[in-house]
Amino acid sequence: MEQTERTPEQRAGYWRGIGQVGTQHGAVGDADEPALWPGGASAYIVVTTPHSGIVATDGLSDSGEGGGPGLGVELYVEGRELVSGPMGEGRWLTGVLEEAAGALAGAGESLGRALADHAVLSLELSDEHAPDGWASDGRLGALVGVELPGRPAQFPVDDATVRVLTVVPLRPSELAVVRAEGAAGRARVAEGLAGQGWHSYADSTRPAVV
């Protein structure tokens, strides 16, 4: 079996270990920059757990022209608002994920270097889908890579590893901390999320943790 076949199978196996996996679907918006994905097209899957819904990228780790597992990552967003799927109450979270996917796909090789240097990354996205009280100066912040205890954060493909990274939208006060403090601010917000039991779960009702 070639790597082009093994990577999707390993990825599917990862998600089967998390919950019930739905069918693959395309983007619901136009911010995910599909031409920059390793295979030249974007795709997503929905995973349902007993307490939450997940929308995940399905192809950022596919083999590109240079071989290997693409960008070496997949992204996902998770919360109770996604239990009904990507277009229901959690539509805003789907938008956040797709825009984050486009931003990281555009980062190319620099993404791997950033992940090697930092445990958690941050992004500033548009406020197109942000609920009231979440945007700051037309921007919505997000952390990438906040860990959820007990859930594997990677899966192997041959001699490589694909990281499975969470995307967590930020409240304006949290984004302000990240802007002001950089890596230390990202760590402080991540610690606040963990301290209040949110970890990587996203919810429009979540209060600020800093």
Side-chain angles (χ1 to χ4, degrees):
M1 183 183 293
E2 296 183 356
Q3 189 177 66
T4 53
E5 299 171 323
R6 286 192 296 272
T7 302
E9 179 54 35
Q10 290 289 92
R11 191 165 63 229
Y14 173 89
W15 288 118
R16 285 194 297 268
I18 303 300
Q20 182 176 350
V21 181
T23 57
Q24 189 184 75
H25 65 88
V28 300
D30 58 3
D32 67 345
E33 302 290 347
L36 299 178
W37 286 44
S42 60
Y44 299 84
I45 56 169
V46 175
V47 182
T48 304
T49 80
H51 306 292
S52 66
I54 293 170
V55 178
T57 60
D58 195 36
L60 289 175
S61 61
D62 284 347
S63 295
E65 293 182 359
L71 294 174
V73 303
E74 296 291 345
L75 308 176
Y76 73 95
V77 64
E78 178 174 12
R80 63 166 184 83
E81 293 169 332
L82 287 167
V83 169
S84 59
M87 290 297 290
E89 185 182 10
R91 170 67 181 86
W92 74 284
L93 295 172
T94 304
V96 167
L97 176 69
E98 292 180 357
E99 191 171 346
L104 295 192
E109 293 182 0
S110 65
L111 173 60
R113 294 192 295 270
L115 289 170
D117 292 339
H118 303 285
V120 178
L121 305 181
S122 58
L123 296 171
E124 290 193 27
L125 310 171
S126 72
D127 66 347
E128 180 179 358
H129 302 293
D132 290 343
W134 283 81
S136 174
D137 299 325
R139 306 299 286 169
L140 175 66
L143 290 185
V144 177
V146 176
E147 292 192 3
L148 181 64
R151 178 173 294 169
Q154 60 190 34
F155 61 86
V157 179
D158 295 342
D159 296 329
T161 296
V162 174
R163 297 183 61 177
V164 185
L165 304 174
T166 60
V167 177
V168 182
L170 298 179
R171 288 282 193 176
S173 62
E174 297 162 347
L175 176 57
V177 168
V178 170
R179 284 172 170 171
E181 301 177 17
R186 293 193 295 271
R188 187 150 74 91
V189 174
E191 290 168 1
L193 290 166
Q196 294 193 24
W198 286 97
H199 299 284
S200 58
Y201 289 109
D203 194 296
S204 61
T205 65
R206 178 181 69 77
V209 298
V210 294

